[in-house]
Amino acid sequence: MDNLLVIAGAALVVTDYLIKFLAIGVLPHNRKPSSAMAWLILILIIPLAGFGLFLLLGRTNLGRKRLARQREADEAIRAATDQLPTAPVAGPGYLGSMAILNLNLGSLPLQTGNRVDLISGYGDAIAAMTAEVADATDSVEVEFYISAWDDVTAPFFEALAAAAARGVKVRLLFDHMGSKGIPGYDDFEKRLDGTDVEWHPMLPVRPFKGQFQRPDLRNHRKIMVVDGRIGFMGSQNLIEPGYNKPKNHAAGREWVELVARVDGPAVTSLRAVFAKDWYTETHERMGGEISRTAPAVHADGVAAQVVPSGPGYVTENNLRLFTALIYSAQSRISLTSPYFVPDEPLLYAVTTAARRGVEVELFVSEEGDQFMVYHAQCSYYQALLEAGVRIHLYPAPAVLHSKHFTIDDDVAVIGSSNMDMRSFALNHEVSMMLTGGDIVTRFRKVEDDYRALSRELTIDEWRQRSKVQRYLDNTMRLTAALQ
C-alpha cells in the first residue's frame, strides 16, 4: 500500500509539471496575450482542475462539420453579393474605408436607400414585429438568442403560428443554451410543436444526441425578416422585459432596449445572415428564395451595412469595426453597452480618443444583472475616468441592455454585440453600420434620453469604493480574459 501511495504521488507530481510545461508552449498559440496569461495563471495555480476547465471552455472550435457548413455558406454569400453594387459613401473620407473593411470581413456591401426606424419601447418593438408577421404573405425568418412564449410575447408567437397555418413559410431559430435557461422552456418547445412553424435550437448542447461543443459558445443574434422586405435587428430578445425570473420581478428589474426596423436593400443582408445560420443548423439552403425578392429602394433613405461576426470568423469583425471607427472620431463618441469589458485594443482606442480631445461618453447600468461581468466591467472604470471618459450610470433597477454607438455626426452602429471579450470571441453577433440623412440625430435623441435619466460617475466617487469591491473587480477582470 505504501508503495502504491508513493507511485501515485510521484505520478501526480509528474503530471503537474507536465501540464504546466505543455501549457506554457501551447496556450499562447493564436491566442491574445491577455487570454493566454489568464489561462496560464489558472493552470499554474490549479493544474489538474485548470486543465480540465481549459479542455471544456478554452477552445472556440465549432467542430469540423459545423465550421465547414459556415464556410460554405460564407462562400455562397460572397458569390451572391459580388454582383451587388457598392454604394458611394457621403461624408468624411474614412467612411469609405470602413465600408471596404466591412465588406472584406463579412462579405456584405454598404447599400443605400434604407428607411430605418428606431424603436426604444420594449412593448412597442414586440407589437411592431407582431404586426409585420400578421401581414406576411410569403415568408418569415426569426432568429433570437433568447425566445420564450410568455404573456408579453404570446401575441407574436400566435401571429407566427397563424402565418404558418395560412401557408406562409415560417422559420424560427433560437440559441439552445440561452433559451433553455429561461423558466418554461420545455413547455415552449411543446407549444411550438403544436404549430406549423419550422423551428430549431442553435448550437445545441445535447451530448446524448451527439450534439456538443464548447457549452458557453452562443448565437447571440437578434434578427427578423418578413417577406424579404422588412427587417428588425438590435438588442432585444423575444421574452418579457423581466426575463420571466421571479427575482427580477420582485426587484422591479426590466431590460431597456433599442431595436431598428429596416425597410430597404439592407434587409437582404440581414436575410443572408439568417440563411447562413439556418443552413448551419438544418442543411437547408435558402439562396433561391432570397434571390427572388427585392426590397424597396427609398430615395430619402440612409446607407446601411450589415456585419456578421462570431467564432466562425478568425478576424473578430465587430471588434475591428468598433476600434477603427473610434480611432476615426474627431469630436464625439457616445457608447452604450450593458457589458463593457474591453480587451486591450478597444480600451486603448477609447482612452486614446478621450486623451486626444474627443468627447467620449459611456452609458452603462448602475447595477449589473450578472455578478462576474459587472465586477469585471467595474475594473475598467478608473482607467476610463482618468482618461477623461464620462461614465453615465442608468438608474437601477433597470438594466440598460441597448447596444449602439455614434461617431461624430457621421455614423451610428446598432446590433446585438456588447463591447466585451465574449461578444468579440465567443458569440455569434450581427451589427449594422448606418450613415446619411438624420440617422445620427435620431440616435442622439436616444442618448439624450439616457443621459437625462442617468447620473454621472466621478473619479472621486470611484476612488472611495470599498476594498472588497476593488478585490472583486480585479478578480473578475481576470476571469473575463478566459476565452
Side-chain angles (χ1 to χ4, degrees):
M1 178 64 72
D2 290 342
N3 289 337
L4 288 176
L5 289 175
V6 170
I7 293 172
L12 283 174
V13 171
V14 171
T15 302
D16 179 281
Y17 278 100
L18 182 61
I19 289 174
K20 293 175 179 177
F21 177 78
L22 291 174
I24 291 171
V26 172
L27 284 177
H29 177 67
N30 282 339
R31 191 179 298 274
K32 292 181 179 179
S34 58
S35 176
M37 186 59 68
W39 279 113
L40 279 173
I41 291 172
L42 182 65
I43 290 174
L44 291 175
I45 294 173
I46 46 173
L48 290 175
F51 181 65
L53 283 172
F54 175 75
L55 291 179
L56 182 66
L57 302 175
R59 296 173 294 174
T60 59
N61 195 318
L62 293 167
R64 288 185 300 170
K65 292 182 179 179
R66 179 177 290 272
L67 192 58
R69 289 196 296 272
Q70 285 199 12
R71 287 175 176 169
E72 184 180 347
D74 283 335
E75 291 172 2
I77 291 172
R78 184 175 292 277
T81 56
D82 279 346
Q83 310 303 318
L84 296 175
T86 300
V89 182
Y94 71 82
L95 283 180
S97 66
M98 294 300 114
I100 294 172
L101 171 69
N102 294 335
L103 180 62
N104 289 334
L105 294 175
S107 303
L108 299 170
L110 181 74
Q111 296 170 287
T112 57
N114 300 280
R115 287 180 179 166
V116 178
D117 297 314
L118 301 180
I119 307 173
S120 57
Y122 200 105
D124 293 339
I126 292 176
M129 291 188 290
T130 302
E132 293 296 343
V133 173
D135 291 338
T137 59
D138 182 63
S139 63
V140 179
E141 289 98 34
V142 183
E143 175 179 353
F144 282 80
Y145 170 56
I146 293 176
S147 293
W149 195 322
D150 53 43
D151 291 343
V152 172
T153 62
F156 176 82
F157 283 104
E158 289 165 1
L160 282 185
R166 65 176 182 267
V168 175
K169 186 77 169 178
V170 179
R171 299 178 173 96
L172 170 65
L173 293 172
F174 52 84
D175 185 83
H176 179 233
M177 295 299 288
S179 297
K180 191 175 178 62
I182 300 300
Y185 176 78
D186 291 338
D187 183 59
F188 174 54
E189 285 194 337
K190 291 177 183 177
R191 296 180 80 170
L192 289 175
D193 281 336
T195 71
D196 294 320
V197 174
E198 298 179 36
W199 63 275
H200 293 272
M202 298 182 289
L203 294 169
V205 179
R206 298 182 289 204
F208 295 112
K209 295 184 178 181
Q211 298 173 325
F212 186 80
Q213 57 271 321
R214 176 173 170 170
D216 64 336
L217 295 181
R218 298 284 187 269
N219 193 315
H220 196 245
R221 293 169 180 153
K222 291 96 175 172
I223 298 171
M224 189 182 86
V225 175
V226 176
D227 292 339
R229 59 180 181 81
I230 300 296
F232 292 82
M233 62 91 68
S235 63
Q236 187 168 327
N237 287 298
L238 273 178
I239 189 171
E240 62 90 21
Y243 278 55
N244 289 322
K245 302 289 181 69
K247 181 179 178 180
N248 291 335
H249 296 160
R253 183 178 297 119
E254 294 189 345
W255 271 237
V256 177
E257 310 284 2
L258 189 66
V259 173
R261 179 188 183 274
V262 186
D263 175 358
V267 174
T268 300
S269 294
L270 290 173
R271 201 177 190 194
V273 175
F274 175 90
K276 172 184 174 179
D277 289 336
W278 184 259
Y279 176 66
T280 300
E281 300 298 343
T282 70
H283 303 183
E284 178 188 1
R285 291 179 170 84
M286 292 176 51
E289 296 177 52
I290 295 176
S291 63
R292 287 196 298 270
T293 59
V297 178
H298 304 282
D300 60 345
V302 302
Q305 188 171 26
V306 175
V307 184
S309 57
Y313 299 91
V314 297
T315 47
E316 294 188 335
N317 301 354
N318 47 354
L319 175 60
R320 289 177 186 266
L321 171 61
F322 295 178
T323 53
L325 283 172
I326 290 168
Y327 274 120
S328 299
Q330 298 299 306
S331 59
R332 179 176 174 183
I333 300 170
S334 292
L335 310 171
T336 302
S337 179
Y339 313 117
F340 187 82
V341 187
D343 62 357
E344 289 91 341
L346 181 59
L347 180 64
Y348 271 67
V350 173
T351 54
T352 299
R355 290 185 184 279
R356 60 187 170 87
V358 177
E359 295 180 14
V360 183
E361 60 182 350
L362 170 66
F363 295 95
V364 292
S365 298
E366 184 176 36
E367 294 180 0
D369 64 301
Q370 298 182 28
F371 177 85
M372 294 176 67
V373 177
Y374 172 71
H375 282 286
Q377 172 174 293
C378 288
S379 74
Y380 292 92
Y381 285 175
Q382 184 158 336
L384 294 169
L385 290 167
E386 289 177 347
V389 177
R390 302 181 68 177
I391 299 177
H392 301 285
L393 303 178
Y394 198 87
V399 174
L400 182 59
H401 195 247
S402 304
K403 311 165 200 299
H404 52 88
F405 66 94
T406 52
I407 302 294
D408 299 338
D409 295 323
D410 306 314
V411 64
V413 175
I414 184 172
S416 65
S417 179
N418 298 304
M419 289 186 169
D420 66 352
M421 300 181 197
R422 159 168 288 281
S423 295
F424 300 144
L426 304 179
N427 288 347
H428 297 271
E429 307 283 5
V430 62
S431 305
M432 184 167 61
M433 185 179 79
L434 299 163
T435 185
D438 67 341
I439 190 65
V440 174
T441 300
R442 286 187 277 139
F443 273 92
R444 292 279 191 238
K445 174 62 170 63
V446 175
E447 295 159 359
D448 291 344
D449 292 342
Y450 294 163
R451 196 180 304 103
L453 292 169
S454 303
R455 71 176 182 86
E456 187 171 351
L457 178 66
T458 66
I459 186 65
D460 290 337
E461 175 188 349
W462 190 243
R463 286 172 176 162
Q464 294 173 13
R465 71 193 187 281
S466 69
K467 292 181 179 179
V468 173
Q469 180 168 354
R470 290 172 188 259
Y471 181 84
L472 288 173
D473 294 347
N474 294 334
T475 303
M476 293 305 106
R477 179 170 180 159
L478 179 63
T479 66
L482 294 176
Q483 309 171 20

